[in-house]
Structures are given as C-alpha cells and as structure tokens.
Amino acid sequence: MGIPAKDVIIYYKSLLDKAKVYLYKGKDTVRDQRKLSDVLKDYLSKDLRVVNIGNAEYYDEEREHWLLASNVIVVDKNKMVAYEHNRITNKLAEEAGIKVITFKGNEIIKEGGERSGPRCMTLPLVKS
C-alpha cells in the first residue's frame, strides 16, 4: 500500500480487504471486523480516496501489483514517482489529484533478486 497524500492510498484490494485488522487499545489488542481501507479512514482521513491497483480488476490488479504499483515515492504534496508500466494505477492516482512522475526502470524490475521500486531505491545501502 502506498500513501501519496493524506487522503489518498494506493491499495491492493484483493489482498488487503481479506487482512485481519487489530487495533491497540491501551494494553489490549482488539480485532476490528472492518476492511483495512475503512479502518484507515479513522486514522488518515474521513474522506479517504482509495486508488485500487489495476482498478481492482483481477488480471490488471495482479499484473500491476507484481510490477510494484504501490511501491512509489512521494516527492511533494500530491506528487509521486512511479513505474510507467503501471498505467491503470497511475491514471487512477492522477484522477484522485496526484501528479504522477513516471520512469521506465526496465533493468531494475527484472534484476532477479529483491524486487525494487521507487520507494525501495531511496533506502540506504548501509545503515550506520
């Protein structure tokens, strides 16, 4: 899941809607029966706009999920960097008011080891 704005999330619906959600209430852990996207409205924005990866259409969602559609880097308010090949998700993000800066990244995504996206590429190589 990516969060390019306080009131916008990029969401892998078919997986995250099935997730069990637990909330910490003081020293207790309480199971919340709602979908994660509904719970997030309590913490991010009551008017939360959900950008479903691949528009939650099975084949598009799976393809764009595995091509790291939610692995974005937020570079400014309502502005993110994303892979250009996630066209459906990027279009939906733009419709939600997010400026999407795209790049090819062909060699990065097929390198075979750990899958990397724009957010992962900003992480340090060595932590001190």
Side-chain angles (χ1 to χ4, degrees), residues 97-115:
I98 304 299
K99 166 78 171 140
V100 181
I101 302 165
T102 62
F103 72 105
K104 283 187 180 183
N106 297 342
E107 297 304 315
I108 297 165
I109 201 162
K110 67 181 183 183
E111 51 87 18
E114 292 296 320
R115 298 176 59 81

Side-chain angles (χ1 to χ4, degrees), residues 33-49:
Q33 298 298 325
R34 297 175 294 164
K35 294 184 292 186
L36 178 60
S37 60
D38 292 332
V39 173
L40 289 172
K41 290 178 181 183
D42 291 344
Y43 297 94
L44 297 175
S45 172
K46 294 290 182 197
D47 299 320
L48 186 67
R49 294 172 288 155

Side-chain angles (χ1 to χ4, degrees), residues 24 44 49 59 75 95 109 113 115 121:
Y24 294 104
L44 297 175
R49 294 172 288 155
Y59 290 107
V75 294
E95 289 172 1
I109 201 162
R115 298 176 59 81
M121 290 186 285

Side-chain angles (χ1 to χ4, degrees), residues 13-109:
K13 183 177 177 58
S14 65
L15 175 72
L16 295 176
D17 275 359
K18 296 175 188 172
K20 293 179 181 173
V21 179
Y22 294 90
L23 302 174
Y24 294 104
K25 304 274 184 168
K27 293 183 180 183
D28 297 323
T29 304
V30 178
R31 171 88 157 84
D32 193 313
Q33 298 298 325
R34 297 175 294 164
K35 294 184 292 186
L36 178 60
S37 60
D38 292 332
V39 173
L40 289 172
K41 290 178 181 183
D42 291 344
Y43 297 94
L44 297 175
S45 172
K46 294 290 182 197
D47 299 320
L48 186 67
R49 294 172 288 155
V50 178
V51 173
N52 289 308
I53 293 174
N55 204 23
E57 298 291 332
Y58 178 75
Y59 290 107
D60 293 327
E61 180 184 42
E62 289 300 303
R63 180 180 53 76
E64 291 200 1
H65 164 70
W66 287 106
L67 293 174
L68 307 169
S70 64
N71 191 317
V72 300
I73 183 70
V74 177
V75 294
D76 200 356
K77 183 179 180 186
N78 299 322
K79 188 184 294 185
M80 69 182 201
V81 176
Y83 280 122
E84 73 175 14
H85 51 250
N86 293 313
R87 290 179 181 90
I88 296 168
T89 305
N90 293 341
K91 180 178 182 261
L92 293 169
E94 287 177 341
E95 289 172 1
I98 304 299
K99 166 78 171 140
V100 181
I101 302 165
T102 62
F103 72 105
K104 283 187 180 183
N106 297 342
E107 297 304 315
I108 297 165
I109 201 162

